[in-house]
Amino acid sequence: MKNSIVFLLLGLLVGGQAFVLWHDNASMVSRSSDAMRMIHVQPMFQGKKVVLDEQMRSQGGDPLKLNTLRFYLSNFVFLKNGAVVFEEKNSFHLLDLEDENTLDLKFDALEGRDFDGLRFKLGIDSLTHISGAMGGDLDPTKGMFWTWQSGYINFKLEGTFKKCPTRNHEFQFHLGGYLAPFQSVQSVQVKIPKGENLVLQLDLSPFFDQVDWVKKYSIMSPCKESVEVSKVLANSFSVHAE
Amino acid sequence: MRNRCIKFSLLLLLAFGLVSYTIPAWIGDPIELKIPKNWPKPTYDFSRNPLTKEGVELGRRLFYDPFLSRNDMISCSNCHLSFTAFTHVDHALSHGIEDRIGTRNSPALMNLAWGRHFMWDGAIDHLDFQALAPIAHPAEMDNSIEKVVQKIQSKPVYKELFFNAFGDSTVSGERLLKALSQFELTLISANSKYDRMILGQDTFTDQEQNGYRLFQKSCASCHTEPLFTNLGFERNGLPIDTTLNDYGRMKITKQPPDSLKFKVPTLRNIEFSYPYMHDGRFKKLREVVNHYAQTTALERKIDLSPNEKVDLVAFLLTLSDKAFLFNPDFSFPRF
């Protein structure tokens, strides 16, 4: 009697585990058959793709070079006629020009759906900031979190520009800040044209045109300028179909 | 009988199946933090970092491990010693790696689960992120979280500890910070003579009672019971030290009204956490009380006769919690 119960229990447990495994596998299969949709993010400058450590020229002809370009895009929402078609869960992406792979954003379960607009954030929202340590792209080892003061660095751009009156003409922009009045995270909404291969362009030209390079070549903490510059960047996104 | 057994095992199966499906790994022994009677709800969101015996143990090991510093010499406990309410006594400004001197006094650590802002100027808004500051500070541990994660990953003893706490032995910044938080969150001090008096288990002397009355009148608006801090930022009348030029909260908000405001520190275990203030300018409680009685910079002037000052200090000493200071669970772990 006792034995049979033990057996039964064991059997049920094994069965239960098998069910769990099967269930997990099943959901994996269904996921992989659901083709993903990809959006490639492409930073641009003066109509050309940005390449790190390669000399470029500003509109005024001044030489400039970028060494680092890393930023967060988050909370992706796809729209059709203004209505939400798909909202990505846990939607945090760290893009790093150093690592091509990070520039390809993949979205599950978007294939076959019709959409004509995209909404997302440049940076990390305040709520996420006060939710404690997180993993993945938000892990503090990614070099995108200030240590001496709480806060993600939403956008990091470093390089050299002839116009900067600094040593070796270096500049650093570490844009962030989530507490009023220096909330730097920006909402972006763009139209999506019809087409297969979607490219989300970030044009850095307006940023280089609008910054007062003689005065403002370094932002390393939350401040008024950080908010202003973030706004310029947020207005520089557009989607193209190739 | 048999029927009931089957039902029972079916139930078990269901529970087991559900658990293993919804929570991929059932990890560690959960710990329920004891919230002292009549205290407010903790501000820390435990649902994002549930305390477990294994997590706390890992955090404790990390807290006491000098391996976190660049030269393997400085651990958190160098500046936060358990027997002195987790502060660095005798040093006005904290000493870190290679005896480099920082710009602030290391605060006592306790009741952190109720904290909203950390550091004297509240630069940090979540306990999890606090450890990033000392790890990276050039005068403290002079390292980076990236390097610490690599170092810890390469130390065999941590494989097991991370496995026990998180279900696999991968070290990440998130896990390291959460484990440190887990240990720090257990540092609750609520067993002083004052607490026992409140619960009716002890009585104050006349002197302590008079000190308590004076405290409630003059100090409690900022050092509010039961945490002995209102968790806010206040100006307590200290003149600026021109060798440091530390303007406190204004450094973070950049708003002039916040100039010279500092986070109100708890006064629990104050007997042991000298020297006092953000720059450690006072060595004795007597000096602190003298400051409050003299200053004209407070919104509400505090008047204290010499006798009242003595009584006030007698009350402050009732905030010492020996059970906290000598809790074996908080001290150096056996490696």
Side-chain angles (χ1 to χ4, degrees), chain A residues 4-5 8-9 12 16-17 23-24 130-135 139-141 143 145 147-150 178 182 221-222, chain B residues 2 5 9 13 16-17 20-21 48 123-126 128-129 132-133 136 145-146 149 172-174 177-178 252-254:
Chain A
S4 65
I5 289 174
L8 195 96
L9 256 174
L12 284 173
Q17 280 309 292
H23 194 286
D24 280 358
I130 51 167
S131 303
M134 302 221 192
D139 197 282
T141 52
F145 199 90
T147 57
W148 51 274
Q149 173 175 5
S150 278
Y178 69 100
F182 306 132
S221 63
Chain B
R2 189 174 196 141
C5 281
S9 31
L13 155 78
F16 189 73
S20 45
Y21 182 60
R48 291 184 158 273
I124 292 164
D125 293 313
H126 196 288
D128 290 359
F129 294 126
L132 293 171
I145 183 77
E146 295 86 337
V149 166
S172 70
E174 178 191 17
L177 295 178
K178 283 188 161 165
I252 304 306
T253 62
K254 301 189 169 82

Side-chain angles (χ1 to χ4, degrees), chain B residues 51-67:
Chain B
L51 295 197
T52 60
K53 196 168 143 277
E54 292 77 5
V56 171
E57 194 52 39
L58 170 61
R60 181 177 174 196
R61 286 289 283 269
L62 291 165
F63 190 88
Y64 282 95
D65 196 341
F67 210 54

Side-chain angles (χ1 to χ4, degrees), chain A residues 168-231:
Chain A
N168 302 330
H169 306 292
E170 285 169 4
F171 67 84
Q172 293 99 8
F173 285 83
H174 294 186
L175 308 179
Y178 69 100
L179 291 175
F182 306 132
Q183 273 166 326
S184 291
V185 63
Q186 300 294 327
S187 292
V188 181
Q189 186 156 341
V190 286
K191 289 201 181 74
I192 298 186
K194 288 256 171 269
E196 265 311 298
N197 298 323
L198 297 179
V199 177
L200 174 62
Q201 290 189 352
L202 166 60
D203 187 3
L204 296 175
S205 315
F207 168 85
F208 277 91
D209 290 346
Q210 287 180 39
V211 167
D212 178 357
W213 289 96
V214 180
K215 286 201 218 120
K216 216 193 298 174
Y217 37 78
S218 172
I219 295 181
M220 303 289 274
S221 63
C223 58
K224 199 169 110 253
E225 290 80 13
S226 173
V227 182
E228 289 166 7
V229 173
S230 300
K231 283 191 176 134

Side-chain angles (χ1 to χ4, degrees), chain A residues 27-83:
Chain A
S27 58
M28 244 154 77
V29 170
S30 70
R31 205 174 296 151
S32 58
S33 67
D34 226 341
M36 309 219 188
R37 193 68 200 260
M38 205 173 77
I39 295 188
H40 181 72
V41 181
Q42 183 59 58
M44 305 288 289
F45 184 69
Q46 298 299 339
K48 293 202 197 78
K49 292 181 180 178
V50 173
V51 180
L52 288 182
D53 301 318
E54 199 160 274
Q55 185 166 308
M56 306 183 287
R57 277 182 194 280
S58 71
Q59 205 169 12
D62 296 300
L64 78 100
K65 236 184 227 177
L66 302 183
N67 316 121
T68 304
L69 175 54
R70 318 180 77 203
F71 53 98
Y72 280 112
L73 298 183
S74 66
N75 298 7
F76 276 86
V77 179
F78 290 82
L79 307 162
K80 174 74 188 175
N81 298 328

Side-chain angles (χ1 to χ4, degrees), chain A residues 159-162 164-171:
Chain A
T160 56
F161 186 24
K162 190 71 191 302
C164 296
T166 50
R167 196 174 149 267
N168 302 330
H169 306 292
E170 285 169 4
F171 67 84

